[in-house]
Amino acid sequence: LVRKPLLRQIIKKGQAGYHEYIEKHKLEIDLIKNGYSFNDVLTYTDNPEEVLKRFNWDDYVSLCHFKDLLHQAKQLNKVIKMSWSDRRMHDEHIKWTEEIQKIKYQSCSTKPIWENLIELPKNIELLNSEKRIANEGTNMHHCIFTNYSGYLLKKRMVAFHVYAEDSRDDFTCSFNITESRISFDQAYKAWNKSLSDSEIEFAKSL
């Protein structure tokens, strides 16, 4: 967390220098601890101090939603007003998602991401091209394409569309991929509607 040019000064001053640095850069350090880019918060919100008060590890879901919005603000070069209500932020998130979709959609590739696949159950579809991921974002009105396509195309994530008996209960779910494991990331129905506990358990079991 410490910038290299200041490291020598801190070492020279010892413990006092360390505490001096921590106090001076408290906001930056706290933002980083919560997974934020300090520069992004500084550039794309109008009140960085308010960000930590409203969106932190105490409410992981809200934290993730805000990070999605911040990522979109960066793509569109817009500023998030921290006076906005949660509802206004949700509405802006939907609106910005559609704006980014329109900008990026025309250049989407249909080339498969994964090859030599096993056959999946008929109600589960792998989102296996940039174009299909874009269509998923458009049809489901969420940010799987605008915020996560980069991870999916680099095979750092994988995502599926799950078809339910009632199409209103269809959902998109994604998983993180590392060298050692595949882990559940998130799942949402259209318009970012949450899943029931039993649906979440089913999604995790995939």
Side-chain angles (χ1 to χ4, degrees):
L1 297 179
V2 178
R3 295 191 188 92
K4 287 183 179 179
L6 296 174
L7 190 57
R8 294 188 190 88
Q9 297 178 36
I10 294 171
I11 292 172
K12 283 182 180 179
K13 293 181 180 179
Q15 190 175 14
Y18 170 78
H19 290 297
E20 180 184 330
Y21 180 89
I22 293 296
E23 186 62 32
K24 186 176 181 180
H25 299 276
K26 186 176 188 308
L27 175 61
E28 180 176 357
I29 292 169
D30 287 346
L31 284 166
I32 293 171
K33 282 181 179 177
N34 281 273
Y36 290 106
S37 160
F38 178 64
N39 288 334
D40 287 355
V41 171
L42 212 61
T43 306
Y44 301 107
T45 74
D46 66 345
N47 189 339
E49 289 83 1
E50 187 65 20
V51 171
L52 278 179
K53 292 178 184 176
R54 288 182 62 180
F55 304 105
N56 53 59
W57 287 118
D58 292 338
D59 186 346
Y60 179 72
V61 173
S62 294
L63 175 66
C64 290
H65 286 173
F66 182 76
K67 285 181 181 177
D68 283 346
L69 185 65
L70 185 62
H71 182 60
Q72 291 178 322
K74 185 176 181 178
Q75 291 182 73
L76 295 169
N77 196 29
K78 295 192 176 187
V79 173
I80 301 169
K81 297 187 182 301
M82 296 309 300
S83 59
W84 288 347
S85 65
D86 290 346
R87 180 66 198 181
R88 172 69 185 276
M89 289 202 180
H90 174 269
D91 291 345
E92 292 295 326
H93 175 54
I94 296 296
K95 186 169 73 174
W96 293 358
T97 296
E98 292 173 351
E99 284 185 42
I100 297 169
Q101 289 259 156
K102 289 176 182 176
I103 294 168
K104 290 186 172 183
Y105 186 80
Q106 298 302 322
S107 60
C108 285
S109 170
T110 57
K111 180 182 178 182
I113 302 168
W114 301 91
E115 297 178 350
N116 303 319
L117 302 170
I118 62 170
E119 186 175 349
L120 295 172
K122 291 182 178 179
N123 67 321
I124 300 173
E125 179 190 358
L126 173 67
L127 306 182
N128 199 30
S129 72
E130 187 179 22
K131 182 76 79 174
R132 180 62 188 88
I133 297 165
N135 287 334
E136 184 77 357
T138 298
N139 296 337
M140 297 293 282
H141 302 280
H142 56 44
C143 63
I144 186 72
F145 173 63
T146 58
N147 283 32
Y148 297 96
S149 59
Y151 299 104
L152 293 162
L153 293 172
K154 292 176 182 176
K155 298 184 178 180
R156 292 168 59 187
M157 294 180 72
V158 62
F160 302 89
H161 182 95
V162 178
Y163 296 90
E165 290 185 10
D166 184 337
S167 61
R168 291 174 297 182
D169 289 325
D170 284 10
F171 63 86
T172 311
C173 61
S174 59
F175 297 81
N176 293 310
I177 300 174
T178 66
E179 291 182 1
S180 59
R181 64 192 294 245
I182 297 176
S183 58
F184 177 74
D185 178 49
Q186 59 183 327
Y188 287 100
K189 297 180 183 180
W191 301 101
N192 283 329
K193 184 180 177 183
S194 298
L195 278 65
S196 66
D197 290 342
S198 62
E199 288 169 330
I200 284 287
E201 289 306 311
F202 174 72
K204 290 180 177 179
S205 73
L206 295 177

